[in-house]
């Protein structure tokens, strides 16, 4: 018997090419993310560098614009004492409570007004009038009605968080293609099934935009309620530091508000990418 000949094709095993391609793709993705990070960090890093140099040269007042390293030292001191953590925790709980209450009601009212025309005629004019009332105009009334405790603060934050989600939910529902409802009726979908399988997925991009805007307004409302009258929270920390001319602490509070606001917005944007993978939209060049 003759030994079987092994013919070498020079081809690699099937899985090896795929693995190498996947590694290259992952490396490219990581590299592009790193590039995007540095592009976004270029402007703030440059501003901080120029700011620090101007401070060291005495070109700006250390009382009005303390140098970044001075602000960093104040941040470390507040963090080490635990004062920053305790006040930040209180502020985040207030903002979260106001957003959940106001945003949740905004979503429910937006669904009701968007789905039913009679509800829109009954509720929307009143809601739009309330939307035009500024925070500072109703803040004294909230304090008078609910006292200076947590209730008035959370309700004032909820007032601001209500309207963006309400409006975007309403617009998202009304922008759903009417032909999809015709298809749903042909398929025999119930009203609830239409809402779950048709309306909410189609309106989801607009609803998530409303969530982003509501979170931003809730965070801004938090600043108002804590600076106006509070004995705890990041806003109180800033107000107390301002009275004693501790400008670095004021800047620490501003930076904390900016960072936490950016993180919450990035979280919602991440949810958008996860939930809206089916959407083929223009991403820019």
């Amino acid at each position: 018997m003759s030994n079987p000949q092994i013919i070498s094709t020079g081809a690699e095993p099937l899985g090896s090419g795929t693995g190498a391609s996947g590694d290259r793709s992952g490396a490219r993705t990581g590299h592009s993310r790193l590039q995007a990070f540095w592009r976004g960090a270029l402007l703030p890093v440059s501003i901080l560098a120029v700011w620090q140099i101007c401070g060291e040269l005495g070109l700006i007042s250390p009382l009005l614009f303390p140098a970044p390293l001075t602000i960093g030292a104040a941040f470390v001191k507040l963090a080490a004492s635990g004062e920053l953590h305790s006040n930040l925790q209180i502020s985040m709980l207030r903002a979260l409570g106001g957003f959940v209450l106001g945003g949740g009601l905004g979503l429910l009212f937006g669904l009701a007004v968007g789905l039913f025309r009679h509800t829109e005629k009954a509720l929307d004019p009143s809601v739009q009038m309330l939307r035009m009332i500024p925070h500072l105009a109703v803040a004294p009334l909230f304090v008078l009605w609910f006292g200076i405790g947590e209730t008035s603060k959370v309700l004032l934050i909820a007032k601001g968080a209500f309207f963006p989600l309400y409006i975007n939910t309403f617009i998202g529902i009304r922008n759903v293609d009417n032909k999809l409802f015709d298809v749903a009726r042909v398929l025999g979908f119930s009203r609830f099934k239409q809402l779950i399988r048709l309306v909410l997925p189609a309106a989801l991009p607009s609803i998530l935009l409303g969530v982003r805007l509501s979170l931003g307004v809730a965070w801004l409302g938090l600043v108002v309620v804590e600076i106006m009258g509070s004995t705890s929270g990041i806003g109180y920390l800033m107000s107390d530091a301002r009275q004693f001319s501790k400008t670095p602490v004021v800047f620490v509070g501003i930076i904390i508000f900016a960072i936490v606001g950016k993180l919450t917005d990035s979280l919602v944007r991440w949810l958008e990418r996860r939930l809206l993978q089916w959407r083929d939209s223009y991403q820019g060049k």
Side-chain angles (χ1 to χ4, degrees):
M1 292 181 61
S2 59
N3 294 328
Q5 295 181 351
I6 300 176
I7 302 175
S8 175
T9 61
E12 296 179 355
L14 185 60
S16 61
T18 305
S21 175
D23 292 341
R24 287 194 296 269
S25 176
R28 284 195 299 268
T29 302
H31 183 66
S32 62
R33 288 178 179 175
L34 187 61
Q35 283 186 330
F37 171 79
W38 283 115
R39 286 196 194 102
L42 180 61
L43 179 60
V45 169
S46 301
I47 292 175
L48 289 175
V50 173
W51 186 357
Q52 181 66 34
I53 293 172
C54 291
E56 291 181 353
L57 295 176
L59 299 177
I60 55 178
S61 170
L63 179 62
L64 299 179
F65 293 98
L69 290 180
T70 306
I71 298 172
F75 175 85
V76 172
K77 183 178 179 181
L78 288 172
S81 66
E83 191 175 0
L84 181 63
H85 177 266
S86 60
N87 284 286
L88 178 60
Q89 186 178 26
I90 293 171
S91 293
M92 292 187 69
L93 288 174
R94 285 173 181 158
L96 180 62
F99 168 73
V100 170
L101 178 60
L105 290 175
L107 178 63
L108 292 177
F109 275 70
L111 288 172
V113 171
L115 289 171
F116 306 105
R117 188 171 298 176
H118 295 295
T119 308
E120 177 191 0
K121 293 179 179 178
L123 293 180
D124 191 62
S126 300
V127 172
Q128 295 301 332
M129 284 192 295
L130 292 174
R131 185 171 68 91
M132 297 303 171
I133 302 176
H135 270 41
L136 294 178
V138 297
L141 285 176
F142 275 52
V143 173
L144 181 64
W145 292 338
F146 306 106
I148 59 174
E150 294 299 314
T151 303
S152 60
K153 296 178 178 61
V154 172
L155 289 178
L156 194 59
I157 295 170
K159 173 192 173 295
F162 173 88
F163 298 104
L165 200 45
Y166 166 81
I167 292 172
N168 281 274
T169 302
F170 169 72
I171 292 175
I173 292 174
R174 291 301 172 91
N175 285 337
V176 176
D177 192 347
N178 197 44
K179 295 178 182 177
L180 296 177
F181 287 95
D182 296 333
V183 174
R185 281 190 288 268
V186 171
L187 295 176
F189 281 10
S190 64
R191 193 71 179 178
F192 179 76
K193 199 171 184 179
Q194 286 183 21
L195 177 65
I196 300 299
R197 300 288 297 275
L198 171 65
V199 176
L200 288 180
L204 192 58
S206 183
I207 293 174
L208 288 175
L209 175 60
V211 171
R212 289 180 63 186
L213 296 175
S214 290
L215 279 171
V217 174
W219 203 238
L220 293 175
L222 174 70
V223 180
V224 174
V225 301
E226 289 189 343
I227 289 181
M228 285 188 60
S230 182
T231 57
S232 59
I234 298 297
Y236 163 75
L237 200 66
M238 294 170 61
S239 179
D240 183 66
R242 178 181 56 83
Q243 292 180 3
F244 294 97
S245 299
K246 298 179 180 179
T247 313
V249 177
V250 177
F251 274 93
V252 169
I254 293 172
I255 293 170
I256 291 295
F257 277 124
I259 291 175
V260 176
K262 173 59 180 172
L263 289 176
T264 54
D265 184 73
S266 297
L267 175 62
V268 180
R269 294 188 66 179
W270 177 79
L271 287 175
E272 283 183 339
R273 290 193 295 270
R274 297 280 296 183
L275 297 176
L276 303 178
Q277 293 179 358
W278 50 269
R279 187 176 59 171
D280 186 16
S281 58
Y282 180 65
Q283 301 296 325
K285 293 183 179 180

